[in-house]
Amino acid sequence: MNWTEASELKNLSERVQKSIYMVSVVALRLHGEDRKDMLAIRKMLRELKAKLGKVRSFQDRMEISEIFGAVLLGLNILYSQIPEESVRNDILRIQEFLGE
């Protein structure tokens, strides 16, 4: 892995860590199944963060891409199901932050 890739992985790792905090705050505002779904997304983000530190092969990069895609899909689904505009805006901010 070259310096640029390492730098990008470090940057992504920092964004994932901040997103974990953001997801935790949003989860506190939710109830029932929506809260469970948000906590499942947080768990996937933690798994992603752990894998980011262990990237060694193409297979590792594919796993990271799969988890990242699952997180974004989960956030999209939650966004479409939640009626509260303020929570929807927070979910949108998390998506934008991860996509930077």
Side-chain angles (χ1 to χ4, degrees), residues 5-6 9 13 22 26 31 42 44 76 81 83 89-91 96 99:
E5 290 173 332
L9 283 176
S13 180
M22 294 165 74
V26 173
H31 305 287
R42 183 179 69 178
M44 286 190 294
N76 279 331
Q81 293 177 345
N89 289 337
D90 290 341
I91 292 172
E96 289 173 351

Side-chain angles (χ1 to χ4, degrees), residues 55-92:
V55 175
R56 300 284 180 250
S57 66
F58 181 74
Q59 179 68 23
D60 294 335
R61 291 178 189 176
M62 292 304 297
E63 288 179 21
I64 288 171
S65 294
E66 289 175 6
I67 296 170
F68 192 77
V71 167
L72 291 179
L73 178 63
L75 289 170
N76 279 331
I77 291 170
L78 270 175
Y79 179 83
S80 67
Q81 293 177 345
I82 295 177
E84 292 180 47
E85 192 65 33
S86 64
V87 175
R88 289 171 59 122
N89 289 337
D90 290 341
I91 292 172
L92 192 57

